[in-house]
């Protein structure tokens, strides 16, 4: 079993770009959930990524992936989530797709890691905020592209700390 898999869904390519960067930084590969099978989840650490569409919806390719995920036992696995959204136009559903993925992973037995301080998005009141923290790497490439590098670095540091990578 591999140490880390980055599994993502992307429509416009933004989340794919982030997934490829994370995969490179963790020395693994990025797996597009479109057409993936259960082997995509065969790693000790899963980084699951999706953009948020509409009013808090998953990226379309993830609906089949969520079915795959829902049939797996993730006990003993660590999962971190990442994705993109619009914190200005949709502050109440910003990166809700992360919460959908995180909830399903925890429901299937995984431990959620990679949480970050919520102070980066003071106007946000979405499901990606839990217990005063972001549940993962939330990015707003539309309104705050200059913050992406720092946010990715903080996320990677948090994941590495949580799994001793």
């Amino acid at each position: 079993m591999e140490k880390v898999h980055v599994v993502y869904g992307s429509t416009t390519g933004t989340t794919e770009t982030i997934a490829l960067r994370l995969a490179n930084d963790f020395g693994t590969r990025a797996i597009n959930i479109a057409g993936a099978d259960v082997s995509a989840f065969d790693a000790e650490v899963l980084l699951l990524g999706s953009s948020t569409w509409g009013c808090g919806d998953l990226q379309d390719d993830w609906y089949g992936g969520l079915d795959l995920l829902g049939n797996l036992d993730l006990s003993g696995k660590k999962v971190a989530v990442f994705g993109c959204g619009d914190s200005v136009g949709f502050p109440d559903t910003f990166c809700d797709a992360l919460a959908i993925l995180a909830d399903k992973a925890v429901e299937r037995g995984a431990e959620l890691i990679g949480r970050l301080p919520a102070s980066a998005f003071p106007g946000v009141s979405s499901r990606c905020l839990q217990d005063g923290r972001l549940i993962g790497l939330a990015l707003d490439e539309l309104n705050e592209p200059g913050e992406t590098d720092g946010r990715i670095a903080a996320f990677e540091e948090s994941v590495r700390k949580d799994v001793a990578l």
Side-chain angles (χ1 to χ4, degrees):
M1 181 183 326
E2 292 183 52
K3 186 74 171 177
V4 179
H5 277 180
V6 177
V7 184
Y8 71 94
S10 186
T11 298
T12 66
T14 304
T15 304
E16 179 179 28
T17 299
I18 302 304
L20 292 169
R21 180 171 172 181
L22 291 170
N24 182 64
D25 291 352
F26 282 102
T28 190
R29 60 194 172 114
I31 303 165
N32 190 330
I33 194 61
D37 60 23
V38 294
S39 67
F41 303 100
D42 191 21
E44 295 174 36
V45 179
L46 298 170
L47 306 182
L48 306 178
S50 176
S51 48
T52 298
W53 289 89
C55 292
D57 298 324
L58 275 172
Q59 188 273 341
D60 288 343
D61 297 329
W62 261 111
Y63 287 102
L66 208 57
D67 290 342
L68 280 175
L69 197 58
N71 290 316
L72 297 175
D73 179 1
L74 299 180
S75 301
K77 293 185 187 282
K78 296 181 187 266
V79 170
V81 293
F82 67 94
C84 304
D86 178 352
S87 66
V88 174
F90 299 92
D92 57 337
T93 59
F94 173 66
C95 286
D96 273 1
L98 278 65
I100 295 168
L101 293 174
D103 289 350
K104 182 57 75 175
V106 168
E107 173 189 304
R108 302 307 305 153
E111 175 188 348
L112 188 62
I113 62 170
R115 295 174 189 247
L116 296 173
S119 57
F121 296 102
V124 167
S125 61
S126 68
R127 291 178 52 203
C128 77
L129 295 172
Q130 294 178 3
D131 301 322
R133 295 187 296 168
L134 292 167
I135 61 170
L137 173 61
L139 299 171
D140 185 343
E141 291 293 276
L142 179 65
N143 300 296
E144 299 181 351
E147 301 296 324
T148 297
D149 288 343
R151 289 175 179 157
I152 289 174
F155 176 71
E156 289 178 346
E157 180 181 332
S158 178
V159 169
R160 284 188 172 93
K161 179 182 168 206
D162 288 341
V163 295
L165 290 174

